Short mmCIF file of all heavy atoms in Angstrom, two decimals:
data_model
loop_
_atom_site.label_atom_id
_atom_site.label_comp_id
_atom_site.label_asym_id
_atom_site.label_seq_id
_atom_site.Cartn_x
_atom_site.Cartn_y
_atom_site.Cartn_z
N THR U 159 306.77 177.60 203.16
CA THR U 159 305.81 176.63 202.67
C THR U 159 306.39 175.73 201.61
O THR U 159 306.95 176.29 200.67
CB THR U 159 304.51 177.29 202.08
OG1 THR U 159 304.04 178.08 203.15
CG2 THR U 159 303.55 176.29 201.66
N GLY U 160 306.41 174.44 201.81
CA GLY U 160 306.93 173.51 200.79
C GLY U 160 308.47 173.36 200.91
O GLY U 160 308.99 172.84 199.93
N GLY U 161 309.06 173.92 201.91
CA GLY U 161 310.46 173.88 202.09
C GLY U 161 311.07 172.43 202.07
O GLY U 161 312.01 172.15 201.48
N TYR U 162 310.33 171.60 202.85
CA TYR U 162 310.79 170.17 203.00
C TYR U 162 310.78 169.53 201.56
O TYR U 162 311.71 168.78 201.20
CB TYR U 162 309.92 169.42 203.97
CG TYR U 162 310.23 168.00 204.13
CD1 TYR U 162 311.02 167.63 205.23
CD2 TYR U 162 309.74 167.01 203.32
CE1 TYR U 162 311.23 166.28 205.47
CE2 TYR U 162 310.04 165.63 203.57
CZ TYR U 162 310.81 165.32 204.67
OH TYR U 162 311.11 163.93 204.82
N GLU U 163 309.71 169.71 200.81
CA GLU U 163 309.62 169.19 199.44
C GLU U 163 310.71 169.66 198.57
O GLU U 163 311.29 168.93 197.70
CB GLU U 163 308.27 169.49 198.92
CG GLU U 163 307.94 168.88 197.55
CD GLU U 163 308.03 167.28 197.65
OE1 GLU U 163 307.67 166.73 198.71
OE2 GLU U 163 308.40 166.69 196.62
N ARG U 164 311.16 170.92 198.73
CA ARG U 164 312.23 171.50 197.86
C ARG U 164 313.56 170.80 198.22
O ARG U 164 314.35 170.61 197.34
CB ARG U 164 312.30 173.01 198.07
CG ARG U 164 311.12 173.71 197.40
CD ARG U 164 311.03 175.22 197.76
NE ARG U 164 312.16 175.97 197.25
CZ ARG U 164 312.27 177.27 197.45
NH1 ARG U 164 311.37 177.93 198.07
NH2 ARG U 164 313.29 177.95 196.85
N ILE U 165 313.75 170.55 199.53
CA ILE U 165 314.91 169.80 199.89
C ILE U 165 314.96 168.36 199.25
O ILE U 165 315.95 167.95 198.69
CB ILE U 165 315.02 169.64 201.43
CG1 ILE U 165 315.20 171.02 202.10
CG2 ILE U 165 316.10 168.69 201.82
CD1 ILE U 165 315.15 170.95 203.66
N ALA U 166 313.83 167.77 199.31
CA ALA U 166 313.73 166.38 198.72
C ALA U 166 314.01 166.39 197.31
O ALA U 166 314.76 165.53 196.76
CB ALA U 166 312.28 165.85 198.97
N LYS U 167 313.45 167.42 196.56
CA LYS U 167 313.75 167.51 195.08
C LYS U 167 315.19 167.76 194.82
O LYS U 167 315.75 167.24 193.88
CB LYS U 167 312.86 168.56 194.48
CG LYS U 167 311.35 168.23 194.39
CD LYS U 167 310.54 169.29 193.72
CE LYS U 167 309.05 168.87 193.66
NZ LYS U 167 308.22 169.97 193.03
N GLY U 168 315.82 168.59 195.70
CA GLY U 168 317.22 168.93 195.45
C GLY U 168 318.06 167.69 195.64
O GLY U 168 319.02 167.38 194.92
N ILE U 169 317.81 166.89 196.66
CA ILE U 169 318.61 165.71 196.96
C ILE U 169 318.40 164.70 195.82
O ILE U 169 319.35 164.05 195.37
CB ILE U 169 318.16 165.08 198.31
CG1 ILE U 169 318.57 166.07 199.45
CG2 ILE U 169 318.87 163.73 198.51
CD1 ILE U 169 318.08 165.64 200.80
N GLN U 170 317.19 164.64 195.34
CA GLN U 170 316.86 163.69 194.28
C GLN U 170 317.65 164.06 192.99
O GLN U 170 318.14 163.21 192.27
CB GLN U 170 315.30 163.62 193.99
CG GLN U 170 314.56 162.95 195.08
CD GLN U 170 313.06 163.18 194.93
OE1 GLN U 170 312.60 163.77 193.97
NE2 GLN U 170 312.24 162.72 195.93
N ALA U 171 317.75 165.41 192.80
CA ALA U 171 318.42 165.90 191.55
C ALA U 171 319.95 165.55 191.58
O ALA U 171 320.50 165.26 190.62
CB ALA U 171 318.23 167.38 191.47
N ILE U 172 320.48 165.66 192.84
CA ILE U 172 321.94 165.30 192.99
C ILE U 172 322.08 163.79 192.87
O ILE U 172 322.95 163.27 192.13
CB ILE U 172 322.43 165.78 194.33
CG1 ILE U 172 322.45 167.28 194.35
CG2 ILE U 172 323.83 165.18 194.57
CD1 ILE U 172 322.78 167.91 195.69
N ARG U 173 321.20 162.99 193.52
CA ARG U 173 321.42 161.60 193.53
C ARG U 173 321.13 160.98 192.12
O ARG U 173 321.60 159.86 191.83
CB ARG U 173 320.44 160.94 194.55
CG ARG U 173 320.95 161.11 195.94
CD ARG U 173 322.18 160.27 196.21
NE ARG U 173 322.70 160.50 197.53
CZ ARG U 173 323.93 161.02 197.75
NH1 ARG U 173 324.66 161.42 196.68
NH2 ARG U 173 324.49 161.19 198.96
N SER U 174 320.42 161.66 191.31
CA SER U 174 320.11 161.16 189.94
C SER U 174 321.38 161.26 189.03
O SER U 174 321.41 160.63 187.97
CB SER U 174 318.97 161.90 189.27
OG SER U 174 319.36 163.29 189.08
N GLN U 175 322.31 162.03 189.53
CA GLN U 175 323.58 162.22 188.73
C GLN U 175 324.79 161.63 189.38
O GLN U 175 325.77 161.27 188.68
CB GLN U 175 323.78 163.73 188.60
CG GLN U 175 322.69 164.45 187.86
CD GLN U 175 322.91 165.99 187.82
OE1 GLN U 175 323.75 166.45 187.15
NE2 GLN U 175 322.15 166.76 188.60
N THR U 176 324.77 161.40 190.68
CA THR U 176 325.97 160.81 191.34
C THR U 176 325.62 160.31 192.77
O THR U 176 324.66 160.84 193.40
CB THR U 176 327.05 161.94 191.53
OG1 THR U 176 328.24 161.33 192.13
CG2 THR U 176 326.60 163.09 192.39
N ASP U 177 326.28 159.39 193.22
CA ASP U 177 326.11 158.88 194.63
C ASP U 177 327.36 159.10 195.40
O ASP U 177 327.60 158.45 196.49
CB ASP U 177 325.67 157.41 194.64
CG ASP U 177 326.63 156.48 193.98
OD1 ASP U 177 327.70 156.98 193.45
OD2 ASP U 177 326.37 155.31 193.89
N THR U 178 328.29 159.85 194.86
CA THR U 178 329.64 160.05 195.56
C THR U 178 329.67 161.19 196.52
O THR U 178 330.51 161.22 197.42
CB THR U 178 330.76 160.27 194.45
OG1 THR U 178 330.45 161.43 193.71
CG2 THR U 178 330.87 159.04 193.52
N ILE U 179 328.77 162.16 196.39
CA ILE U 179 328.77 163.25 197.38
C ILE U 179 327.99 162.81 198.61
O ILE U 179 326.90 162.28 198.52
CB ILE U 179 328.06 164.47 196.71
CG1 ILE U 179 328.91 165.05 195.52
CG2 ILE U 179 327.73 165.55 197.75
CD1 ILE U 179 328.25 166.26 194.90
N LYS U 180 328.59 163.10 199.75
CA LYS U 180 327.94 162.85 201.02
C LYS U 180 326.93 163.87 201.29
O LYS U 180 327.12 165.12 201.19
CB LYS U 180 329.00 162.87 202.14
CG LYS U 180 330.02 161.77 202.06
CD LYS U 180 330.96 161.89 203.26
CE LYS U 180 332.06 160.85 203.14
NZ LYS U 180 333.06 161.00 204.26
N ILE U 181 325.65 163.50 201.62
CA ILE U 181 324.61 164.36 201.92
C ILE U 181 324.06 164.02 203.32
O ILE U 181 323.42 162.89 203.49
CB ILE U 181 323.47 164.38 200.91
CG1 ILE U 181 324.03 164.56 199.48
CG2 ILE U 181 322.43 165.42 201.28
CD1 ILE U 181 322.92 164.53 198.35
N SER U 182 324.22 164.84 204.26
CA SER U 182 323.71 164.52 205.63
C SER U 182 322.84 165.70 206.18
O SER U 182 322.70 166.68 205.47
CB SER U 182 324.81 164.32 206.58
OG SER U 182 325.74 165.49 206.68
N GLY U 183 322.16 165.46 207.25
CA GLY U 183 321.30 166.54 207.77
C GLY U 183 321.70 166.89 209.19
O GLY U 183 322.39 166.19 209.90
N ARG U 184 321.37 168.18 209.57
CA ARG U 184 321.64 168.67 210.93
C ARG U 184 320.37 169.22 211.49
O ARG U 184 319.74 170.06 210.80
CB ARG U 184 322.73 169.63 210.88
CG ARG U 184 323.07 170.25 212.29
CD ARG U 184 324.35 171.18 212.17
NE ARG U 184 325.39 170.41 211.79
CZ ARG U 184 326.58 170.99 211.33
NH1 ARG U 184 326.73 172.26 211.17
NH2 ARG U 184 327.63 170.16 211.12
N CYS U 185 319.93 168.79 212.69
CA CYS U 185 318.69 169.29 213.23
C CYS U 185 319.01 170.13 214.44
O CYS U 185 319.81 169.70 215.36
CB CYS U 185 317.80 168.07 213.64
SG CYS U 185 316.37 168.48 214.55
N THR U 186 318.44 171.37 214.53
CA THR U 186 318.55 172.28 215.78
C THR U 186 317.48 171.92 216.64
O THR U 186 316.22 172.20 216.27
CB THR U 186 318.54 173.67 215.31
OG1 THR U 186 319.68 173.86 214.39
CG2 THR U 186 318.69 174.56 216.58
N VAL U 187 317.63 171.29 217.76
CA VAL U 187 316.59 170.89 218.67
C VAL U 187 316.11 172.03 219.48
O VAL U 187 316.89 172.78 220.09
CB VAL U 187 317.08 169.76 219.62
CG1 VAL U 187 316.04 169.30 220.56
CG2 VAL U 187 317.57 168.56 218.75
N GLN U 188 314.79 172.34 219.52
CA GLN U 188 314.21 173.39 220.18
C GLN U 188 312.82 173.10 220.58
O GLN U 188 312.42 171.93 220.42
CB GLN U 188 314.19 174.67 219.23
CG GLN U 188 313.60 174.39 217.94
CD GLN U 188 312.88 175.55 217.30
OE1 GLN U 188 311.88 175.97 217.87
NE2 GLN U 188 313.36 175.95 216.14
#
Side-chain angles (χ1 to χ4, degrees):
T159 302
Y162 182 96
E163 185 62 28
R164 289 170 67 178
I165 293 173
K167 289 182 178 179
I169 293 172
Q170 291 168 5
I172 292 172
R173 285 288 174 249
S174 69
Q175 301 174 71
T176 182
D177 59 1
T178 60
I179 292 181
K180 296 179 181 178
I181 309 178
S182 60
R184 180 174 294 166
C185 176
T186 301
V187 179
Q188 51 146 299

